[in-house]
Amino acid sequence: MASASSLLSEERLLCSICLDVFTDPVTILCGHNFCSSCIHTYWDSRDTCQCPMCKRKFSTRPELQVNTFISELADEFKKLIQVKASTPGPQLLEVDVLCDFCSEIKEKAVKSCLTCLTSFCESHLEPHLRVAVLKGHTLLEPVKNLDDRMCKTHNKMTELYCLKEQAFICVLCLKADHKGHNAVLLEEQYEKVAATKDEAQANMQKLIQTRIEKIAEVEKLLDVSQVDSEKEEQAAVQVFTELIQSIQASQAELVEAIKQRHSAIKQKGEEFLKELRREVTELKSRSSQLEHLSQSQDHYHFLQSFPTLSKPPHKSCPDTDLGPDLSFQATRGHLTRLKQRVDEILEEIPEIRMKRMREHAVDLTLDPDTANNSLVIREDGKQVTVEDNIEKDKVTDNPKRFNVFCQVLAKEGFMTGKFYFEVQVKGKIRWIIGVARESVDRKNATGASVKNGYWCIRFDECKYKTTADSEPIILKEELHKLGVFVDYNKGEVSFYNADSKSLIGCITGCCFTERLYPYFCPQRNYNGNSAPLIITPVPQTH
């Protein structure tokens, strides 16, 4: 029959609240198991009664059922995992220590001898219980790896504990490497440390209780956050629904007004056409009569009729005010600006702003032809470090390479539109990242400034500063990943904490006339600045 240790692993015998092996395990209605005291404490700290695992809620506190099967397995497991009696450390016994003397089928050891450095089964232990010389050997519960208790330098048993170095040593160590150190017998140190066990256990229980209370507090906050989120979502949907309905109603009114305006213009135009056609007919008739009159030889009749026929109608040609209504064009402009304002309002929400920026993400690769000869670029072109011991003569010079500072550009350049990329800066204490124009000076000691063609952010001495500002930027959170967003046409370069999605700084009013290249300067390695700059993949937007 399988033992308890083979039936269940330790992880499956842990209470999910205290994260320790079950004590008095109980089962609740949903089938999950917890320590009796843990689940009671968990429920006592909450307003609602629910399962910590599946979050199933109960109207009343359910009756707890003792899980005898898990209780027996947990008890058996605790018997197998015991604290070693001979050492003050927190090491646990390992099960199934085998006898070193058994030649064929190995029996389980019942004792280990610190003098012989050997473990014995019950039959092979008999001489130690009978022979006078062997009776003086130190026996303890079975342990593996007895050789680990030997001093590797002097090949003697480590019977002492150095208080200064907090190390196990032998008597010869005390005369050599640990000369003058305060050392005591292992048994003495064990008694001293074991005396603090109750206090340590009490402190551990306090920590456990504190963590349980913190778990309850965080879960309560998450519940409140869930409720608040749902309310906020409903309110936002309601506002947008009303806004959409209002816009649709306004759209219908505007379309109807445009149709009415066109109908009125059409009616007015048709009346103009009717009147103009009547006048044309009348004028044609007069013209025909004049032509006929001009052929008459009756002088009297000609002189009598000509003044009447040749005189034009008294009515002037009517105005044709049928052009477009400028009020409609003005309304269209107002609506366009309204849409832009809605977009601006939505972009004040960090998640929406970051999502829209990441839609312009670009895949960058570092350009080794531009890299200073102190820089090392990984094969994938995404990571750069500084190596001061590089054989610089082996790096060929070219017009694109930076000769003075530890600088490198990306291969990809941009002359229009928007683009965004992210760089891991975790572990670095100084760096410069941003964009640079194609014509920057690469051969002389030219500083990174807007005047010199660099639109960047600098981190040095725990301070952030853009190349356009003299005042440092104070961040409340630690920056691990920097996001850089460039709007070429608008003339803006913005810098973000890519993890928290918060804005760090922005350079505005730029007038870009050249191709821009993403720019990276990892700075020198002194004072622990050896971590790399890494171009990281931008998370996909959904």
Side-chain angles (χ1 to χ4, degrees):
M1 183 175 179
S3 64
S5 61
S6 63
L7 281 174
L8 288 175
S9 63
E10 180 180 2
E11 289 77 6
R12 300 185 65 182
L13 289 173
L14 297 181
C15 170
S16 62
I17 297 178
C18 67
L19 303 180
D20 202 353
V21 179
F22 284 114
T23 300
D24 298 328
V26 293
T27 304
I28 60 179
L29 294 178
C30 58
H32 291 112
N33 303 290
F34 308 93
C35 298
S36 177
S37 60
C38 291
I39 190 63
H40 277 296
T41 303
Y42 179 82
W43 282 342
D44 290 342
S45 63
R46 300 178 64 85
D47 298 331
T48 58
C49 185
Q50 66 178 21
C51 173
M53 294 287 289
C54 64
K55 306 303 180 184
R56 176 180 172 183
K57 294 184 178 181
F58 308 102
S59 56
T60 59
R61 184 172 295 195
E63 181 180 354
L64 300 176
Q65 303 293 327
V66 177
N67 193 320
T68 56
F69 177 69
I70 291 183
S71 179
E72 291 173 358
L73 286 177
D75 290 341
E76 182 65 21
F77 191 83
K78 289 177 181 178
K79 291 178 182 178
L80 295 173
I81 309 299
Q82 304 173 17
V83 179
K84 291 183 178 180
S86 60
T87 59
Q91 298 173 333
L92 298 178
L93 281 174
E94 298 184 41
V95 297
D96 295 339
V97 177
L98 302 179
C99 175
D100 293 322
F101 266 75
C102 292
S103 57
E104 296 181 358
I105 300 177
K106 295 282 188 180
E107 296 289 338
K108 289 181 61 173
V110 294
K111 291 291 181 181
S112 293
C113 177
L114 290 181
T115 306
C116 301
L117 294 180
T118 308
S119 297
F120 302 97
C121 64
E122 189 170 356
S123 60
H124 288 115
L125 181 65
E126 188 272 335
H128 277 74
L129 304 178
R130 174 175 50 83
V131 179
V133 177
L134 298 180
K135 283 184 178 181
H137 290 189
T138 303
L139 299 177
L140 69 160
E141 295 301 314
V143 292
K144 282 187 176 181
N145 302 324
L146 285 169
D147 290 341
D148 293 342
R149 300 178 182 234
M150 292 291 292
C151 174
K152 300 299 185 292
T153 304
H154 305 105
N155 199 30
K156 294 182 69 66
M157 179 63 66
T158 53
E159 300 174 337
L160 301 175
Y161 185 79
C162 177
L163 297 177
K164 181 178 180 180
E165 302 288 342
Q166 295 186 350
F168 300 99
I169 62 175
C170 70
V171 291
L172 295 182
C173 292
L174 194 59
K175 299 177 181 179
D177 296 338
H178 295 263
K179 185 177 181 179
H181 293 184
N182 188 12
V184 297
L185 293 172
L186 291 182
E187 292 81 359
E188 181 181 341
Q189 182 66 9
Y190 166 76
E191 294 295 338
K192 181 180 178 181
V193 174
T196 65
K197 178 181 71 68
D198 292 339
E199 181 182 355
Q201 185 67 14
N203 291 335
M204 192 69 66
Q205 291 301 320
K206 287 181 181 179
L207 288 175
I208 291 173
Q209 182 61 31
T210 302
R211 298 302 186 271
I212 291 175
E213 292 173 356
K214 181 58 68 174
I215 289 173
E217 178 185 345
V218 172
E219 288 183 335
K220 188 172 183 179
L221 289 174
L222 288 176
D223 289 342
V224 172
S225 176
Q226 177 68 22
V227 173
D228 290 345
S229 177
E230 291 174 355
K231 289 182 179 179
E232 195 65 35
E233 181 180 341
Q234 292 174 358
V237 171
Q238 179 65 26
V239 169
F240 269 96
T241 300
E242 293 175 356
L243 177 61
I244 292 171
Q245 291 175 347
S246 175
I247 291 176
Q248 288 176 338
S250 299
Q251 178 186 4
E253 290 179 345
L254 180 59
V255 170
E256 182 62 26
I258 293 173
K259 289 181 178 179
Q260 290 178 359
R261 170 67 175 168
H262 174 67
S263 178
I265 290 175
K266 182 178 179 182
Q267 181 179 356
K268 188 176 181 180
E270 289 177 349
E271 291 175 355
F272 285 162
L273 289 175
K274 183 178 179 181
E275 179 65 21
L276 290 172
R277 288 190 181 103
R278 186 191 65 77
E279 290 183 3
V280 167
T281 300
E282 180 180 347
L283 290 172
K284 285 182 177 181
S285 175
R286 290 194 177 201
S287 176
S288 178
Q289 291 180 44
L290 279 175
E291 181 66 25
H292 180 71
L293 181 64
S294 63
Q295 297 176 4
S296 173
Q297 297 299 320
D298 187 346
H299 298 163
Y300 179 87
H301 178 66
F302 179 86
L303 293 174
Q304 182 183 40
S305 301
F306 182 81
T308 302
L309 293 175
S310 62
K311 188 177 181 179
H314 294 290
K315 186 176 181 181
S316 62
C317 185
D319 295 332
T320 56
D321 184 17
L322 304 177
D325 194 333
L326 298 179
S327 63
F328 289 136
Q329 295 181 0
T331 299
R332 187 166 64 251
H334 293 323
L335 292 175
T336 300
R337 287 189 290 274
L338 175 61
K339 177 183 177 300
Q340 293 172 347
R341 181 54 185 153
V342 171
D343 288 340
E344 292 173 357
I345 292 173
L346 288 178
E347 287 194 359
E348 292 176 4
I349 300 173
E351 289 78 7
I352 293 178
R353 180 178 57 212
M354 182 61 70
K355 176 180 180 294
R356 292 182 176 181
M357 287 192 302
R358 283 175 169 169
E359 291 174 352
H360 301 280
V362 291
D363 184 17
L364 301 180
T365 305
L366 297 171
D367 186 358
D369 290 339
T370 67
N372 179 269
N373 53 20
S374 295
L375 297 181
V376 174
I377 299 174
R378 281 186 50 172
E379 291 184 3
D380 61 1
K382 305 295 184 183
Q383 182 171 319
V384 58
T385 54
V386 178
E387 296 291 343
D388 295 324
N389 58 353
I390 294 178
E391 296 184 25
K392 300 182 180 181
D393 294 339
K394 293 185 178 181
V395 181
T396 59
D397 193 18
N398 65 74
K400 296 171 61 178
R401 191 177 307 284
F402 289 97
N403 283 2
V404 180
F405 300 124
C406 301
Q407 305 170 102
V408 62
L409 302 178
K411 292 181 179 180
E412 297 77 16
F414 306 88
M415 283 199 68
T416 187
K418 305 173 182 178
F419 61 95
Y420 174 82
F421 60 93
E422 293 181 356
V423 185
Q424 179 178 307
V425 296
K426 182 179 180 181
K428 296 194 66 62
I429 58 176
R430 58 182 61 87
W431 45 261
I432 307 174
I433 298 174
V435 292
R437 67 188 179 205
E438 188 172 15
S439 64
V440 291
D441 187 348
R442 310 189 188 199
K443 304 303 178 183
N444 300 303
T446 306
S449 66
V450 170
K451 178 181 178 181
N452 294 330
Y454 297 87
W455 294 268
C456 306
I457 187 169
R458 177 196 306 268
F459 178 61
D460 194 1
E461 298 180 353
C462 301
K463 295 178 182 178
Y464 298 88
K465 188 184 297 184
T466 69
T467 53
D469 300 313
S470 58
E471 293 298 321
I473 302 168
I474 306 300
L475 295 188
K476 295 181 179 180
E477 67 252 343
E478 186 177 1
L479 178 64
H480 289 168
K481 189 183 296 184
L482 176 72
V484 181
F485 180 69
V486 180
D487 189 331
Y488 190 104
N489 300 337
K490 194 175 180 180
E492 288 187 0
V493 182
S494 306
F495 308 97
Y496 292 84
N497 184 328
D499 295 318
S500 66
K501 303 176 179 60
S502 58
L503 176 66
I504 300 175
C506 184
I507 304 176
T508 60
C510 309
C511 183
F512 302 131
T513 57
E514 299 180 28
R515 188 176 299 276
L516 297 181
Y517 288 87
Y519 166 87
F520 310 87
C521 179
Q523 304 275 33
R524 294 292 178 184
N525 285 345
Y526 55 88
N527 294 336
N529 191 43
S530 58
L533 290 178
I534 304 174
I535 301 173
T536 59
V538 176
Q540 296 294 317
T541 57
H542 299 286

